[in-house]
Amino acid sequence: MSRTQAPDDPVPSTDVRAEAAAWIARLRDEQRGPDLEAQLRGWLDESEEHRRAFARMTQVWDQAGNIRMRARDHIPTDRTGRSSRFNRWAPSLAASLILVAAGAVYYWRDSALETGVGQRQTRLLRDGTRVVLNTDTRIEVNYDQHLRRVRLIRGEAWFNVSKHPTWPFIVSVGDQEVRALGTSFIVRRDTQDLSVTLVDGRVSVTSSARNEDAPSQAPQILAPGQRLVISRHHKAAVDRPELSRVTAWERGQVEFAETPLEDAITEMNRYTTTRITVPDAEVAQLRIGGVFHAGDSDEFIKVVTAAFGLRADRNGSDTVLSGPGAPPPPPAQ
């Protein structure tokens, strides 16, 4: 899958080289999954830069192996124990050379990934972890030799964590920490609420806040399919939502089932800079179901007004939904 790098080829970016090195490390993992080759082909097909980076990092790996073999060949064997001791640490030396040559694949300074309103982005982190960012989301990544830490600043992200049992993976959200090993889970941060939905594997959620007057919070362990919601207005609660609805955004959709109209509007508004409002409290409590394209507010308004006989009035760049007998909204200032 690799080719020789031409001297005049543009050098791939540090991020892409690191991703390529992570792919190479995963390919040599004895516990790799059966679909890893197909995933790699998909990554290579995304761009010429990915293919150049993979070729370059393959050469780095091969060269590191050659260094190890040359060193072993030159170790004198007439000194008892010297060769066996070298055999024990030579693989670690080669691995270290690979990490240095790849630009510190696993240890790097803070870096941020961000999406705008209505955008969605999939990235492969340098340890092989796959993260999908939903609309208006920002994460900050900070790995060191002891810990993989990601901070969710705002928005929503789906993590498929690469398995490294001795290298913990933690997502920090405010004073809450989500700890996982080899796990698939979604973390969402709204203005008032934090939710953690476990798709597969096992996670624990704990508070990192220090309060001498209050007892320490016991870890909340989630089972696959469970969601933990932590709110400023009520006690933390665990439920079991329909996963197809929770993950619909990854497919570019928003899915509702007997959802209050005001909550559905709040969700639709996440994906666009225009706004839908519903000032009438009775109208706001109407229940709606269905699947909509994320960001397609016009279609949503069309369906809602037809289903409930509502009126839609433009007010500047916003749309106000109201009952048929309600007075029109005052013009936007």
Side-chain angles (χ1 to χ4, degrees):
M1 283 183 286
S2 62
R3 65 176 180 85
T4 302
Q5 180 109 2
D8 57 349
D9 274 351
V11 177
S13 69
T14 302
D15 283 349
V16 173
R17 293 201 308 272
E19 289 183 13
W23 277 114
I24 292 171
R26 293 175 72 190
L27 285 171
R28 282 148 178 84
D29 187 344
E30 293 181 356
Q31 297 181 352
R32 69 186 189 186
D35 58 344
L36 185 61
E37 291 277 354
Q39 294 175 13
L40 172 60
R41 285 194 295 271
W43 184 79
L44 292 172
D45 289 341
E46 288 180 5
S47 71
E48 177 61 26
E49 184 183 26
H50 286 184
R51 292 187 287 274
R52 288 199 309 271
F54 189 81
R56 180 180 290 265
M57 290 299 101
T58 299
Q59 291 172 354
V60 169
W61 183 282
D62 293 341
Q63 289 165 5
N66 291 335
I67 291 171
R68 182 188 65 199
M69 293 305 299
R70 288 199 299 271
R72 290 177 63 183
D73 291 343
H74 285 83
I75 289 294
T77 58
D78 56 347
R79 298 182 183 180
T80 304
R82 280 286 303 276
S83 178
S84 61
R85 284 197 299 272
F86 179 81
N87 288 342
R88 286 196 296 269
W89 57 256
S92 298
L93 171 62
S96 299
L97 291 170
I98 294 167
L99 292 178
V100 172
V105 174
Y106 293 124
Y107 318 135
W108 69 89
R109 65 186 184 278
D110 286 352
S111 58
L113 301 176
E114 190 170 13
T115 56
V117 174
Q119 294 180 335
R120 190 172 68 255
Q121 182 182 142
T122 301
R123 291 293 297 269
L124 184 72
L125 302 184
R126 300 181 188 187
D127 63 326
T129 292
R130 178 178 177 267
V131 57
V132 187
L133 307 181
N134 199 2
T135 176
D136 193 22
T137 295
R138 178 183 175 90
I139 65 172
E140 294 177 354
V141 182
N142 183 16
Y143 287 11
D144 60 31
Q145 64 268 36
H146 304 295
L147 185 68
R148 295 175 287 169
R149 184 180 294 277
V150 177
R151 292 180 175 85
L152 177 64
I153 307 303
R154 67 174 185 272
E156 184 173 20
W158 186 346
F159 299 93
N160 286 282
V161 181
S162 178
K163 293 183 179 180
H164 296 278
T166 61
W167 198 14
F169 186 96
I170 292 178
V171 177
S172 298
V173 191
D175 63 0
Q176 299 291 324
E177 291 187 342
V178 184
R179 181 181 291 260
L181 282 172
T183 303
S184 178
F185 62 99
I186 300 168
V187 184
R188 174 169 170 169
R189 185 179 195 174
D190 295 324
T191 304
Q192 304 294 331
D193 298 342
L194 161 68
S195 66
V196 180
T197 304
L198 182 59
V199 178
D200 185 51
R202 188 168 179 264
V203 298
S204 67
V205 183
T206 58
S207 174
S208 60
R210 298 292 181 262
N211 186 344
E212 296 180 356
D213 298 327
S216 59
Q217 174 185 316
Q220 176 72 59
I221 309 298
L222 297 184
Q226 287 186 326
R227 175 178 62 186
L228 171 65
V229 179
I230 300 173
S231 175
R232 296 182 182 180
H233 302 299
H234 52 73
K235 290 182 60 177
V238 175
D239 63 1
R240 189 175 287 274
E242 181 62 47
L243 281 180
S244 66
R245 290 200 296 273
V246 177
T247 61
W249 60 268
E250 199 268 342
R251 305 184 297 274
Q253 298 175 335
V254 181
E255 186 174 332
F256 305 118
E258 290 297 306
T259 304
L261 181 58
E262 63 177 346
D263 293 342
I265 287 173
T266 298
E267 189 67 18
M268 291 298 297
N269 284 344
R270 294 178 66 203
Y271 298 90
T272 178
T273 55
T274 61
R275 288 290 177 266
I276 307 170
T277 62
V278 54
D280 186 293
E282 185 175 347
V283 174
Q285 292 306 308
L286 295 172
R287 301 280 171 161
I288 184 173
V291 179
F292 300 88
H293 291 291
D296 192 350
S297 296
D298 290 340
E299 179 65 20
F300 177 82
I301 292 168
K302 181 180 178 181
V303 170
V304 168
T305 53
F308 299 114
L310 302 180
R311 194 178 70 219
D313 295 299
R314 294 287 181 180
N315 191 15
S317 60
D318 297 341
T319 299
V320 180
L321 297 181
S322 55
Q333 299 297 322

